[in-house]
């Protein structure tokens, strides 16, 4: 569990720093470059579509793991749009909440036998 927490913390830190540099250089307009690459059918667009699929899949897992609760639906847009900045922090927090039990972390408390 320590390795998972360390990897998530490193990924969050790297992406946060990179994001701050990009915002400083290019501003907050993410939508135009993101969809510009997709509409242009470039490799950058291919990456954007592939990355979006990962974001969607992680959001579906988040919703499923939390039994599609109202609280999960409230946080799902943050998980989907926030990427590793949100998802990594969630996994770190969750790893402490489940006290290191990987089965509970992956499946949720309602799906794990006592």
């Amino acid at each position: 569990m320590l390795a998972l927490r360390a990897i998530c913390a490193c990924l969050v830190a790297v992406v946060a720093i990179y994001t701050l540099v990009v915002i400083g250089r290019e501003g907050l307009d993410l939508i135009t470059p993101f969809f510009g690459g997709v509409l242009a059918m470039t490799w950058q667009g291919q990456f954007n579509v592939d990355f979006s699929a990962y974001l969607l899949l992680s959001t579906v897992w988040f919703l499923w793991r939390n039994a599609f609760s109202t609280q999960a639906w409230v946080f799902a847009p943050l998980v989907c749009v926030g990427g590793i900045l949100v998802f990594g922090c969630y996994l770190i927090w969750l790893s402490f909440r489940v006290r290191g039990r990987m089965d509970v972390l992956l499946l949720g408390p309602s799906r794990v036998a006592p």
Side-chain angles (χ1 to χ4, degrees), residues 19-42:
T19 301
L20 291 173
V21 171
V22 171
I23 289 171
R25 289 182 176 178
E26 298 192 19
L28 289 172
D29 182 22
L30 169 67
I31 303 300
T32 304
F34 181 86
F35 287 109
V38 172
L39 294 173
M41 300 293 286
T42 63

Side-chain angles (χ1 to χ4, degrees), residues 3 10 13 17-19 23 26 30 32-33 35 48 50 57 60 62 68 74-75 79-80 93 95 97 110-111:
C10 288
I17 292 166
Y18 194 93
T19 301
I23 289 171
E26 298 192 19
L30 169 67
T32 304
F35 287 109
N48 292 349
D50 185 48
L57 184 60
V60 170
F62 171 82
F68 297 93
V74 168
F75 285 104
V79 172
C80 191
W93 171 80
S95 73
R97 185 152 189 248
S110 64
R111 292 180 177 88

Side-chain angles (χ1 to χ4, degrees), residues 37-114:
V38 172
L39 294 173
M41 300 293 286
T42 63
W43 279 114
Q44 182 62 50
Q46 187 279 340
F47 177 83
N48 292 349
V49 170
D50 185 48
F51 178 65
S52 296
Y54 275 104
L55 289 175
L56 184 59
L57 184 60
S58 67
T59 303
V60 170
W61 173 81
F62 171 82
L63 286 165
W64 175 82
R65 191 215 171 270
N66 289 287
F68 297 93
S69 67
T70 302
Q71 185 178 11
W73 281 104
V74 168
F75 285 104
L78 290 173
V79 172
C80 191
V81 175
I84 200 66
L85 294 176
V86 173
F87 195 60
C89 292
Y90 171 69
L91 287 176
I92 293 169
W93 171 80
L94 188 59
S95 73
F96 285 106
R97 185 152 189 248
V98 301
R99 296 186 176 126
R101 288 197 52 200
M102 188 58 83
D103 57 341
V104 180
L105 186 142
L106 290 173
L107 300 174
S110 64
R111 292 180 177 88
V112 176

